[in-house]
Amino acid sequence: MAGHSKWANIQHRKNAQDAKRGKLFTKLIREITVAARSGDPDPNANPRLRTAVDKALTANMTRDTIERAIKRGSGTIEGEHYEEVRYEGYGPGGAAVMVDCMTDNRNRTASDVRYAFSKYGGNLGTDGSVAYLFTKLGVLSYPAGSDEDVLIEIALEAGVQDVVSNDDGSVDVLTDPADFNRVKDAMLAAKFAPESAEVTLRASTSAVLDAEAAASMVKMLDVLEDLDDVQEVYSNADIAEDILAQL
């Protein structure tokens, strides 16, 4: 299946935010804690926790830090209680935006998210207002130059949903979230380590933004992702490469 990575064309923002190691670690620790609380504290028996631990290890978090987060989540040691909250709305140019948060103060989080939307010309919607546009998927991404024929063969044998060849030569392997860790293990066993691997939300349609709307959208997404309570931000914004290069 051919296509272009419209969902990844503002990925540079996320990479820049992730480079802020302290903030990234805070988000990872919260995800591990909540994942451990919501299921088995053993990563091998809890797919969500396994995914969170793998992401933390990739970010070079120490195993001691990971273990402490798991113990806080399972109640072995005391810690803050975080709840998951999702906000939905529209950004500049009518692009759909989903904001997943973990917070110990819903009023603070709602106020911060609402301010970010309103400051840059967006508006919050009701529950479900844009969620229908997004699908939860496991995504394993491979760079241009990968042995695509062999990669596709192994991926299909592992039982993936789809393999997408992008215009830039990169390849995305898409899985059902429940199969993500199994498929990832199969790809690693075949010596195909992904450049990135995550369970994420992808939009079924995109909103093409002009230069003015794109500038406001990037600023809004940056502010949202920089909020302490925000874990992930998803959008169907489609920004042309030449416009993006100027931002």
Side-chain angles (χ1 to χ4, degrees):
M1 174 180 173
H4 72 286
S5 297
K6 59 176 178 286
W7 43 72
N9 71 351
I10 47 177
Q11 188 68 18
H12 78 287
R13 286 181 309 94
K14 183 172 175 55
N15 293 339
Q17 294 294 336
D18 284 355
K20 300 176 182 178
R21 183 173 298 274
K23 190 169 290 292
L24 171 62
F25 276 20
T26 298
K27 295 178 187 293
L28 290 171
I29 288 170
R30 287 189 183 186
E31 170 62 20
I32 291 169
T33 302
V34 171
R37 181 182 300 123
S38 64
D40 197 299
D42 178 4
N44 293 319
N46 183 336
R48 179 180 177 181
L49 181 56
R50 157 79 189 279
T51 300
V53 169
D54 284 351
K55 186 180 290 188
L57 290 172
T58 299
N60 295 319
M61 185 181 290
T62 66
R63 291 192 178 273
D64 284 347
T65 301
I66 293 170
E67 286 300 322
R68 282 196 298 274
I70 292 174
K71 288 178 180 178
R72 279 195 294 272
S74 63
T76 305
I77 59 176
E78 290 189 13
E80 299 88 347
H81 180 80
Y82 295 105
E83 58 179 320
E84 297 177 272
V85 187
R86 171 172 286 173
Y87 299 95
E88 305 176 38
Y90 291 93
V97 180
M98 299 260 288
V99 186
D100 282 347
C101 304
M102 290 184 184
T103 180
D104 57 357
N105 186 324
R106 291 176 69 111
N107 290 335
R108 177 193 65 223
T109 306
S111 176
D112 289 345
V113 171
R114 185 177 295 108
Y115 176 77
F117 270 83
S118 62
K119 182 176 182 179
Y120 296 101
N123 61 285
L124 281 176
T126 57
D127 289 348
S129 58
V130 302
Y132 71 95
L133 295 171
F134 294 83
T135 301
K136 192 173 185 179
L137 291 170
V139 183
L140 290 82
S141 298
Y142 294 86
S146 300
D147 190 334
E148 190 171 335
D149 290 339
V150 177
L151 189 156
I152 291 175
E153 180 182 351
I154 294 170
L156 293 177
E157 287 179 356
V160 303
Q161 280 190 356
D162 201 358
V163 180
V164 180
S165 300
N166 301 308
D167 291 345
D168 62 1
S170 63
V171 179
D172 292 328
V173 174
L174 310 182
T175 80
D176 184 288
D179 297 331
F180 174 72
N181 287 315
R182 180 182 59 76
V183 170
K184 181 182 175 183
D185 287 343
M187 299 303 290
L188 289 172
K191 308 300 182 186
F192 274 94
E195 189 171 47
S196 66
E198 62 181 343
V199 175
T200 186
L201 295 178
R202 283 195 169 182
S204 56
T205 62
S206 59
V208 179
L209 304 185
D210 60 22
E212 182 178 357
S216 295
M217 173 59 84
V218 169
K219 289 177 182 177
M220 188 185 90
L221 295 178
D222 278 345
V223 169
L224 285 169
E225 289 186 340
D226 203 38
L227 293 175
D228 289 341
D229 296 335
V230 171
Q231 290 293 109
E232 297 287 350
V233 181
Y234 308 97
S235 174
N236 71 341
D238 191 354
I239 303 174
E241 295 286 346
D242 58 332
I243 294 177
L244 193 60
Q246 298 172 25
L247 298 179

Short mmCIF file of all heavy atoms in Angstrom, two decimals, residues 21-60:
data_model
loop_
_atom_site.label_atom_id
_atom_site.label_comp_id
_atom_site.label_asym_id
_atom_site.label_seq_id
_atom_site.Cartn_x
_atom_site.Cartn_y
_atom_site.Cartn_z
N ARG A 21 14.90 15.65 28.26
CA ARG A 21 14.91 14.37 28.94
C ARG A 21 14.10 14.35 30.24
O ARG A 21 13.37 13.41 30.51
CB ARG A 21 16.35 13.93 29.21
CG ARG A 21 16.47 12.55 29.86
CD ARG A 21 17.91 12.14 29.95
NE ARG A 21 18.50 12.03 28.62
CZ ARG A 21 18.43 10.94 27.88
NH1 ARG A 21 17.77 9.90 28.31
NH2 ARG A 21 19.01 10.90 26.69
N GLY A 22 14.26 15.39 31.05
CA GLY A 22 13.55 15.40 32.32
C GLY A 22 12.05 15.33 32.13
O GLY A 22 11.35 14.57 32.81
N LYS A 23 11.52 16.11 31.20
CA LYS A 23 10.07 16.11 30.94
C LYS A 23 9.64 14.79 30.35
O LYS A 23 8.59 14.25 30.68
CB LYS A 23 9.72 17.27 30.01
CG LYS A 23 8.22 17.50 29.87
CD LYS A 23 7.93 18.80 29.16
CE LYS A 23 8.28 19.99 30.01
NZ LYS A 23 7.39 20.14 31.18
N LEU A 24 10.46 14.23 29.46
CA LEU A 24 10.14 12.93 28.86
C LEU A 24 10.07 11.86 29.94
O LEU A 24 9.14 11.04 29.97
CB LEU A 24 11.18 12.55 27.82
CG LEU A 24 11.10 11.12 27.25
CD1 LEU A 24 9.77 10.91 26.54
CD2 LEU A 24 12.26 10.85 26.31
N PHE A 25 11.04 11.84 30.85
CA PHE A 25 11.06 10.85 31.91
C PHE A 25 9.82 10.96 32.79
O PHE A 25 9.25 9.95 33.23
CB PHE A 25 12.33 10.99 32.76
CG PHE A 25 13.52 10.27 32.18
CD1 PHE A 25 13.56 9.91 30.84
CD2 PHE A 25 14.60 9.94 32.98
CE1 PHE A 25 14.65 9.24 30.31
CE2 PHE A 25 15.70 9.26 32.46
CZ PHE A 25 15.73 8.91 31.12
N THR A 26 9.39 12.19 33.08
CA THR A 26 8.19 12.38 33.89
C THR A 26 6.98 11.74 33.23
O THR A 26 6.19 11.04 33.88
CB THR A 26 7.92 13.89 34.10
OG1 THR A 26 9.02 14.46 34.81
CG2 THR A 26 6.64 14.11 34.89
N LYS A 27 6.83 11.95 31.93
CA LYS A 27 5.71 11.37 31.19
C LYS A 27 5.79 9.84 31.17
O LYS A 27 4.78 9.14 31.34
CB LYS A 27 5.68 11.92 29.76
CG LYS A 27 5.40 13.41 29.67
CD LYS A 27 5.44 13.89 28.22
CE LYS A 27 5.33 15.41 28.12
NZ LYS A 27 4.02 15.93 28.54
N LEU A 28 6.99 9.32 30.97
CA LEU A 28 7.17 7.86 30.93
C LEU A 28 6.87 7.23 32.28
O LEU A 28 6.24 6.17 32.36
CB LEU A 28 8.59 7.53 30.49
CG LEU A 28 8.94 7.84 29.03
CD1 LEU A 28 10.43 7.65 28.79
CD2 LEU A 28 8.13 6.96 28.08
N ILE A 29 7.32 7.87 33.35
CA ILE A 29 7.07 7.34 34.69
C ILE A 29 5.58 7.32 34.99
O ILE A 29 5.05 6.35 35.56
CB ILE A 29 7.83 8.17 35.75
CG1 ILE A 29 9.34 7.88 35.65
CG2 ILE A 29 7.32 7.89 37.15
CD1 ILE A 29 10.20 8.80 36.48
N ARG A 30 4.86 8.37 34.58
CA ARG A 30 3.41 8.39 34.80
C ARG A 30 2.73 7.25 34.02
O ARG A 30 1.82 6.60 34.53
CB ARG A 30 2.83 9.74 34.37
CG ARG A 30 3.16 10.87 35.32
CD ARG A 30 2.37 12.13 34.98
NE ARG A 30 2.76 13.24 35.84
CZ ARG A 30 2.15 14.42 35.85
NH1 ARG A 30 1.13 14.64 35.05
NH2 ARG A 30 2.55 15.37 36.66
N GLU A 31 3.15 7.04 32.79
CA GLU A 31 2.55 5.97 31.98
C GLU A 31 2.81 4.60 32.61
O GLU A 31 1.91 3.76 32.67
CB GLU A 31 3.10 6.03 30.56
CG GLU A 31 2.73 4.83 29.69
CD GLU A 31 1.23 4.68 29.47
OE1 GLU A 31 0.48 5.66 29.65
OE2 GLU A 31 0.80 3.54 29.13
N ILE A 32 4.03 4.38 33.08
CA ILE A 32 4.36 3.10 33.71
C ILE A 32 3.52 2.92 34.98
O ILE A 32 2.97 1.84 35.23
CB ILE A 32 5.86 3.05 34.06
CG1 ILE A 32 6.71 2.97 32.78
CG2 ILE A 32 6.18 1.84 34.95
CD1 ILE A 32 8.19 3.16 33.01
N THR A 33 3.41 3.98 35.78
CA THR A 33 2.66 3.90 37.03
C THR A 33 1.19 3.57 36.78
O THR A 33 0.61 2.68 37.42
CB THR A 33 2.76 5.24 37.80
OG1 THR A 33 4.14 5.52 38.06
CG2 THR A 33 2.01 5.17 39.12
N VAL A 34 0.57 4.27 35.83
CA VAL A 34 -0.85 4.04 35.53
C VAL A 34 -1.05 2.66 34.90
O VAL A 34 -2.01 1.96 35.20
CB VAL A 34 -1.39 5.15 34.61
CG1 VAL A 34 -2.79 4.81 34.12
CG2 VAL A 34 -1.41 6.48 35.36
N ALA A 35 -0.13 2.25 34.02
CA ALA A 35 -0.24 0.93 33.39
C ALA A 35 -0.14 -0.18 34.43
O ALA A 35 -0.86 -1.18 34.36
CB ALA A 35 0.86 0.77 32.34
N ALA A 36 0.75 -0.01 35.41
CA ALA A 36 0.90 -1.01 36.47
C ALA A 36 -0.34 -1.05 37.35
O ALA A 36 -0.73 -2.11 37.83
CB ALA A 36 2.14 -0.71 37.30
N ARG A 37 -0.96 0.11 37.57
CA ARG A 37 -2.16 0.16 38.41
C ARG A 37 -3.35 -0.47 37.71
O ARG A 37 -4.22 -1.07 38.34
CB ARG A 37 -2.48 1.61 38.78
CG ARG A 37 -3.72 1.76 39.69
CD ARG A 37 -4.03 3.20 39.99
NE ARG A 37 -2.92 3.86 40.66
CZ ARG A 37 -2.31 4.94 40.24
NH1 ARG A 37 -2.71 5.50 39.11
NH2 ARG A 37 -1.31 5.48 40.90
N SER A 38 -3.42 -0.32 36.38
CA SER A 38 -4.59 -0.78 35.64
C SER A 38 -4.56 -2.27 35.31
O SER A 38 -5.55 -2.82 34.82
CB SER A 38 -4.71 0.01 34.32
OG SER A 38 -3.60 -0.24 33.47
N GLY A 39 -3.43 -2.93 35.56
CA GLY A 39 -3.34 -4.35 35.23
C GLY A 39 -2.28 -5.04 36.07
O GLY A 39 -1.93 -4.59 37.16
N ASP A 40 -1.76 -6.13 35.54
CA ASP A 40 -0.74 -6.91 36.25
C ASP A 40 0.56 -6.11 36.33
O ASP A 40 0.98 -5.49 35.35
CB ASP A 40 -0.50 -8.23 35.49
CG ASP A 40 0.21 -9.26 36.33
OD1 ASP A 40 1.37 -8.98 36.74
OD2 ASP A 40 -0.35 -10.34 36.54
N PRO A 41 1.25 -6.10 37.49
CA PRO A 41 2.51 -5.38 37.60
C PRO A 41 3.67 -6.08 36.89
O PRO A 41 4.78 -5.54 36.86
CB PRO A 41 2.75 -5.31 39.11
CG PRO A 41 2.01 -6.48 39.66
CD PRO A 41 0.80 -6.64 38.80
N ASP A 42 3.42 -7.25 36.33
CA ASP A 42 4.43 -7.96 35.56
C ASP A 42 4.31 -7.55 34.09
O ASP A 42 3.29 -7.83 33.46
CB ASP A 42 4.23 -9.48 35.69
CG ASP A 42 5.24 -10.27 34.88
OD1 ASP A 42 6.15 -9.66 34.26
OD2 ASP A 42 5.10 -11.51 34.83
N PRO A 43 5.33 -6.88 33.53
CA PRO A 43 5.25 -6.44 32.13
C PRO A 43 4.95 -7.57 31.15
O PRO A 43 4.30 -7.34 30.12
CB PRO A 43 6.64 -5.83 31.88
CG PRO A 43 7.11 -5.42 33.23
CD PRO A 43 6.59 -6.47 34.17
N ASN A 44 5.39 -8.78 31.45
CA ASN A 44 5.15 -9.90 30.55
C ASN A 44 3.68 -10.32 30.52
O ASN A 44 3.25 -11.01 29.58
CB ASN A 44 6.01 -11.10 30.97
CG ASN A 44 7.50 -10.83 30.77
OD1 ASN A 44 7.90 -10.24 29.78
ND2 ASN A 44 8.30 -11.26 31.73
N ALA A 45 2.92 -9.90 31.52
CA ALA A 45 1.51 -10.25 31.57
C ALA A 45 0.61 -9.03 31.36
O ALA A 45 -0.61 -9.13 31.45
CB ALA A 45 1.18 -10.90 32.92
N ASN A 46 1.23 -7.88 31.08
CA ASN A 46 0.50 -6.63 30.91
C ASN A 46 1.04 -5.90 29.68
O ASN A 46 2.06 -5.20 29.77
CB ASN A 46 0.67 -5.78 32.18
CG ASN A 46 -0.11 -4.48 32.14
OD1 ASN A 46 -0.44 -3.95 31.08
ND2 ASN A 46 -0.39 -3.92 33.32
N PRO A 47 0.40 -6.06 28.52
CA PRO A 47 0.92 -5.48 27.27
C PRO A 47 1.15 -3.97 27.33
O PRO A 47 2.15 -3.48 26.81
CB PRO A 47 -0.17 -5.83 26.25
CG PRO A 47 -0.81 -7.06 26.79
CD PRO A 47 -0.82 -6.86 28.28
N ARG A 48 0.24 -3.27 27.99
CA ARG A 48 0.42 -1.82 28.08
C ARG A 48 1.66 -1.47 28.89
O ARG A 48 2.43 -0.58 28.51
CB ARG A 48 -0.81 -1.17 28.71
CG ARG A 48 -0.69 0.34 28.86
CD ARG A 48 -1.92 0.95 29.49
NE ARG A 48 -1.74 2.39 29.68
CZ ARG A 48 -2.66 3.19 30.22
NH1 ARG A 48 -3.82 2.68 30.62
NH2 ARG A 48 -2.41 4.48 30.38
N LEU A 49 1.86 -2.19 29.99
CA LEU A 49 3.04 -1.95 30.82
C LEU A 49 4.30 -2.34 30.07
O LEU A 49 5.32 -1.64 30.14
CB LEU A 49 2.92 -2.72 32.12
CG LEU A 49 4.08 -2.56 33.12
CD1 LEU A 49 4.30 -1.10 33.48
CD2 LEU A 49 3.81 -3.38 34.39
N ARG A 50 4.27 -3.44 29.35
CA ARG A 50 5.43 -3.88 28.57
C ARG A 50 5.83 -2.80 27.56
O ARG A 50 7.01 -2.47 27.41
CB ARG A 50 5.09 -5.19 27.86
CG ARG A 50 5.92 -5.51 26.63
CD ARG A 50 7.30 -6.07 26.92
NE ARG A 50 8.07 -6.13 25.69
CZ ARG A 50 7.98 -7.11 24.77
NH1 ARG A 50 7.13 -8.12 24.96
NH2 ARG A 50 8.73 -7.10 23.68
N THR A 51 4.84 -2.23 26.88
CA THR A 51 5.12 -1.18 25.90
C THR A 51 5.73 0.05 26.57
O THR A 51 6.69 0.65 26.06
CB THR A 51 3.83 -0.78 25.17
OG1 THR A 51 3.29 -1.92 24.49
CG2 THR A 51 4.09 0.32 24.15
N ALA A 52 5.19 0.42 27.74
CA ALA A 52 5.71 1.59 28.47
C ALA A 52 7.13 1.35 28.95
O ALA A 52 7.98 2.25 28.87
CB ALA A 52 4.79 1.90 29.65
N VAL A 53 7.41 0.15 29.44
CA VAL A 53 8.76 -0.18 29.92
C VAL A 53 9.75 -0.17 28.75
O VAL A 53 10.87 0.37 28.87
CB VAL A 53 8.76 -1.55 30.63
CG1 VAL A 53 10.20 -2.01 30.88
CG2 VAL A 53 8.01 -1.45 31.95
N ASP A 54 9.35 -0.74 27.63
CA ASP A 54 10.23 -0.75 26.45
C ASP A 54 10.57 0.68 26.01
O ASP A 54 11.71 0.98 25.66
CB ASP A 54 9.57 -1.50 25.29
CG ASP A 54 9.61 -3.01 25.48
OD1 ASP A 54 10.29 -3.47 26.42
OD2 ASP A 54 8.96 -3.73 24.69
N LYS A 55 9.56 1.55 26.02
CA LYS A 55 9.79 2.94 25.62
C LYS A 55 10.75 3.63 26.59
O LYS A 55 11.62 4.40 26.18
CB LYS A 55 8.46 3.69 25.55
CG LYS A 55 8.59 5.11 25.01
CD LYS A 55 7.24 5.82 24.95
CE LYS A 55 6.35 5.24 23.89
NZ LYS A 55 5.11 6.06 23.73
N ALA A 56 10.59 3.32 27.88
CA ALA A 56 11.47 3.92 28.89
C ALA A 56 12.90 3.43 28.73
O ALA A 56 13.86 4.21 28.85
CB ALA A 56 10.95 3.59 30.29
N LEU A 57 13.07 2.15 28.46
CA LEU A 57 14.42 1.61 28.25
C LEU A 57 15.07 2.22 27.01
O LEU A 57 16.26 2.51 27.00
CB LEU A 57 14.34 0.09 28.13
CG LEU A 57 14.00 -0.68 29.41
CD1 LEU A 57 13.77 -2.15 29.11
CD2 LEU A 57 15.10 -0.51 30.46
N THR A 58 14.27 2.43 25.96
CA THR A 58 14.79 3.05 24.74
C THR A 58 15.27 4.47 25.03
O THR A 58 16.23 4.94 24.42
CB THR A 58 13.69 3.09 23.66
OG1 THR A 58 13.30 1.74 23.35
CG2 THR A 58 14.19 3.76 22.38
N ALA A 59 14.60 5.14 25.97
CA ALA A 59 14.99 6.50 26.35
C ALA A 59 16.11 6.51 27.39
O ALA A 59 16.45 7.56 27.94
CB ALA A 59 13.77 7.24 26.91
N ASN A 60 16.67 5.31 27.67
CA ASN A 60 17.80 5.17 28.60
C ASN A 60 17.42 5.43 30.06
O ASN A 60 18.26 5.87 30.86
CB ASN A 60 18.96 6.08 28.20
CG ASN A 60 19.58 5.68 26.87
OD1 ASN A 60 19.75 4.49 26.60
ND2 ASN A 60 19.88 6.66 26.03
#
